[in-house]
Amino acid sequence: MDLVLLIQALLIGIFCYLGSISSPWLMGVTGGYYVLGRPLVAGLIIGLILGDVHTGVILGVAVQAAFIATITTGGTQNSEITYAAYGGIALGILSNADTGVAVTLSVGIGTLGLILHNLLMILNSVWNKRTEKAASEGNEKRIIYNNAVYPQIVNFIFRVVPVTLAVYFGQGFITKVLDIIPKDVTQIMTVLGGLLPALGIALLMNLLIKESTQFIFFLTGFVIIVFFTDSMIALTVFGILIAYLTFISLGKSQIEDDDGVI
Amino acid sequence: MPELEKKDLKKGWRNWAMFHLSSMSFEKLEANGFAHSMVPILKKLYKDNPEAYKKALERHTVFYNTEPQVGSLVNGVVASMEEERANGKEINDEMIHSVKTGLMGPIAGMGDSIIQGIIIPILLSIGMGISSNGNPVGVLVYVIGYLSIILTLSYLLYMRGYKMGIQAVDELLGTNSERLRSAFTVLGIMVVGGLAASFVKLNTVLKIPNGEEAIEFQKTLDGFFPKLLPLIAVLVCWYLISKKKWSATKVLIFLIVISIVGVLLNIF
């Protein structure tokens, strides 16, 4: 047994738990899911744990690109980004995989992780009844335990166990597989890795674009990046200008508010 | 006269900021988190009236779901309503329920599109730009940028919600919010267009026979519209999701098939 690898795998599992959507310890989703849970951040953390920050960050950027526009609304998502990030990047580093392969690995692990996440969301119904009962008895301690503590035990097991096992046992397995797969398969993974951001972006467009005329703003953003500048900051500043013009053009509100808007 | 002090409000905010999703379930989503966040507030307000305390706790264990970070505003508003109620003002259960449910929808819509649709993608793109060669500084830029913006916003919104109380409802659901929402949507859609151009990658390896030598088709494309293929890829995905109502999984399988067929036919 490789003790060092086991400890590294365990640490990666624990970070996967801390970055999960339901983990409260780093100011809820703010420091957890939206910070530790992002593949960009996971890449640096895994790099530090495995002693290869450079590769970690590079794979983090690549996997992040595939999940750039991942959205979670009303507790539903299409891939579990935290499992994808910690499982995919860690196995990618350990098996010296190409970035395209690491991205595809992440997407596969994210899909499997989603099953566990949904299972947790179903199992968590147990705490609802208990919280209601605690409220009707005026027992605030039990509300707190049923919201903050008990569900975390299940969440912890669901994250740490599978990720630790996958990282510990996956390395040799993935390396062997990568050695024997033909070049065409690697090329397919590379193409797919480049295409995947299109799905996330299409989901975002579906969320934002309500009228077909708004599509023109999408095209404007696209063309600015392709033909004028590759700076996202420049595009944002230009976007704020257009947004401000839109705000003015929609006419003054009847409600006068001295404090300004929120 | 029970009165909330700054320290009670701070506890209320902290409980919400940490535990909003810790027992999230499909059945009641953030209900338990909301009840948890109200504990310090209600405990202070109803400390001399155990029956009212139980009723108040029960009031806040009903289904609740919103964008948790911007949504701290609702917790602030409700804290202020509970305080008025504890001081004898005519505020019944229905009023509190309707404020919670009335606000959670618009705030979820606005919060999700602004945070997940604009703030996170912009900050990530900046971080990824700096880190693309393996430099960890970009990661730190994202972490510090996100935490400082969102933690400040969440705290200020809670306190402002408390200060404005029920009046916040009119202000948020009024005409101003529609204008503001439209303006943010415009910004969001432009940013998404930029993301599509930066992150979707698709090149063809097709060659056009031209006498002795072959012309690389991708070079011809780059000559008049670089990134045309990624644009088409995004438009197809968007069409399938918004017009054909395909699920994300179905589109994912479609992309896998396209990649396999494309590579095997020597197109990509």
Side-chain angles (χ1 to χ4, degrees):
Chain A
M1 202 170 82
D2 187 344
L3 194 64
V4 175
L5 181 63
L6 185 66
I7 293 169
Q8 287 171 329
L10 188 64
L11 276 174
I12 291 169
I14 291 171
F15 272 100
C16 178
Y17 161 70
L18 289 174
S20 77
I21 192 162
S22 290
S23 154
W25 313 119
L26 299 162
M27 297 309 280
V29 292
T30 312
Y33 189 62
Y34 287 135
V35 173
L36 277 192
R38 298 301 103 173
L40 178 68
V41 181
L44 175 60
I45 289 169
I46 296 165
L48 286 170
I49 293 173
L50 295 179
D52 187 353
V53 170
H54 182 78
T55 313
V57 171
I58 286 187
L59 290 186
V61 171
V63 174
Q64 184 64 69
F67 288 91
I68 184 72
T70 295
I71 46 165
T72 312
T73 48
T76 54
Q77 47 205 112
N78 41 68
S79 177
E80 228 297 326
I81 188 169
T82 323
Y83 285 107
Y86 284 91
I89 296 169
L91 285 174
I93 295 181
L94 287 170
S95 53
N96 295 315
D98 286 344
T99 47
V101 176
V103 171
T104 311
L105 266 176
S106 295
V107 173
I109 294 170
T111 312
L112 292 176
L114 187 58
I115 299 170
L116 285 176
H117 172 76
N118 286 343
L119 189 61
L120 179 73
M121 291 274 288
I122 293 164
L123 291 176
N124 271 350
S125 284
V126 172
W127 316 115
N128 295 336
K129 282 275 164 310
R130 296 167 59 103
T131 308
E132 274 169 43
K133 191 157 171 286
S136 68
E137 291 163 355
N139 187 342
E140 71 273 350
K141 278 223 165 59
R142 283 196 48 190
I143 294 182
I144 294 171
Y145 272 93
N146 280 301
N147 180 52
V149 183
Y150 306 139
Q152 291 310 311
I153 299 169
V154 187
N155 191 20
F156 186 86
I157 295 169
F158 269 29
R159 298 277 166 170
V160 176
V161 173
V163 172
T164 305
L165 293 180
V167 173
Y168 185 78
F169 292 109
Q171 176 199 8
F173 177 72
I174 303 276
T175 315
K176 265 180 223 142
V177 171
L178 288 180
D179 278 346
I180 54 168
I181 56 170
K183 205 177 151 286
D184 269 354
V185 177
T186 336
Q187 175 64 9
I188 289 168
M189 287 184 174
T190 308
V191 171
L192 184 61
L195 266 177
L196 284 171
L199 171 57
I201 283 163
L203 288 167
L204 257 186
M205 288 167 78
N206 195 38
L207 175 83
L208 293 170
I209 298 182
K210 296 291 177 227
E211 297 159 34
S212 47
T213 48
Q214 291 173 320
F215 175 71
I216 194 75
F217 296 115
F218 173 85
L219 210 56
T220 311
F222 194 92
V223 166
I224 287 174
I225 291 293
V226 171
F227 289 102
F228 297 102
T229 166
D230 57 4
S231 158
M232 218 52 205
I233 299 173
L235 173 63
T236 309
V237 172
F238 188 67
I240 290 171
L241 176 77
I242 303 286
Y244 183 63
L245 291 177
T246 310
F247 185 73
I248 294 173
S249 75
L250 285 172
K252 279 217 159 48
S253 149
Q254 293 94 320
I255 307 159
E256 288 296 328
D257 179 13
D258 301 332
D259 296 331
V261 283
I262 306 160
Chain B
M1 291 289 262
E3 215 173 289
L4 293 174
E5 293 168 52
K6 191 86 179 178
K7 68 173 200 300
D8 306 314
L9 294 170
K10 277 185 177 163
K11 271 188 210 160
W13 172 73
R14 205 183 50 222
N15 278 358
W16 176 250
M18 284 179 74
F19 301 105
H20 42 238
L21 292 173
S22 51
S23 67
M24 171 175 64
S25 68
F26 284 125
E27 186 192 354
K28 286 168 84 180
L29 287 143
E30 299 163 359
N32 303 343
F34 200 96
H36 184 169
S37 86
M38 292 305 291
V39 164
I41 305 288
L42 300 175
K43 207 171 171 184
K44 180 73 169 272
L45 293 174
Y46 299 107
K47 62 171 181 271
D48 303 322
N49 190 345
E51 275 316 302
Y53 180 57
K54 287 174 193 170
K55 285 260 160 2
L57 284 175
E58 276 188 285
R59 196 157 47 234
H60 295 296
T61 57
V62 295
F63 178 94
Y64 185 76
N65 188 44
T66 196
E67 201 296 307
Q69 306 172 94
V70 188
S72 67
L73 179 102
V74 183
N75 301 60
V77 172
V78 172
S80 128
M81 288 176 79
E82 287 287 356
E83 184 179 33
E84 289 186 6
R85 178 178 168 135
N87 283 304
K89 211 167 169 197
E90 191 91 14
I91 291 179
N92 57 25
D93 286 10
E94 280 68 39
M95 239 163 120
I96 291 178
H97 286 314
S98 65
V99 165
K100 279 172 71 181
T101 44
L103 284 177
M104 71 185 193
I107 285 182
M110 202 153 172
D112 282 336
S113 49
I114 293 173
I115 292 179
Q116 302 192 70
I118 305 175
I119 296 180
I120 290 181
I122 291 177
L123 290 174
L124 279 176
S125 311
I126 294 168
M128 287 162 72
I130 304 170
S131 284
S132 59
N133 57 357
N135 182 346
V137 171
V139 182
L140 300 179
V141 168
Y142 172 75
V143 173
I144 295 165
Y146 186 75
L147 285 179
S148 48
I149 293 174
I150 297 297
L151 281 173
T152 315
L153 192 71
S154 162
Y155 180 80
L156 291 179
L157 282 175
Y158 186 97
M159 294 304 166
R160 180 157 173 114
Y162 170 73
K163 221 172 98 189
M164 291 195 305
I166 197 161
Q167 196 197 325
V169 183
D170 298 331
E171 200 166 314
L172 275 165
L173 301 180
T175 39
N176 252 334
S177 86
E178 254 325 294
R179 286 170 78 202
L180 204 59
R181 200 170 166 165
S182 305
F184 273 120
T185 304
V186 167
L187 172 62
I189 296 172
M190 283 185 64
V191 168
V192 170
L195 290 179
S198 318
F199 294 115
V200 184
K201 289 189 178 62
L202 187 62
N203 292 307
T204 178
V205 291
L206 277 180
K207 287 190 167 64
I208 308 165
N210 181 21
E212 295 276 293
E213 52 194 73
I215 299 171
E216 285 176 42
F217 187 51
Q218 185 62 45
K219 283 203 174 137
T220 319
L221 276 182
D222 289 345
F224 74 97
F225 197 143
K227 303 268 176 190
L228 183 63
L229 292 179
L231 179 62
I232 294 170
V234 171
L235 293 183
V236 169
C237 290
W238 180 46
Y239 172 79
L240 293 174
I241 288 167
S242 71
K243 298 288 184 305
K244 291 278 170 193
K245 304 286 171 211
W246 281 27
S247 68
T249 317
K250 210 168 160 189
V251 178
L252 176 68
I253 294 167
F254 173 75
L255 292 179
I256 293 173
V257 172
I258 293 286
S259 308
I260 295 173
V261 174
V263 170
L264 295 181
L265 294 180
N266 277 322
I267 302 172
F268 303 129

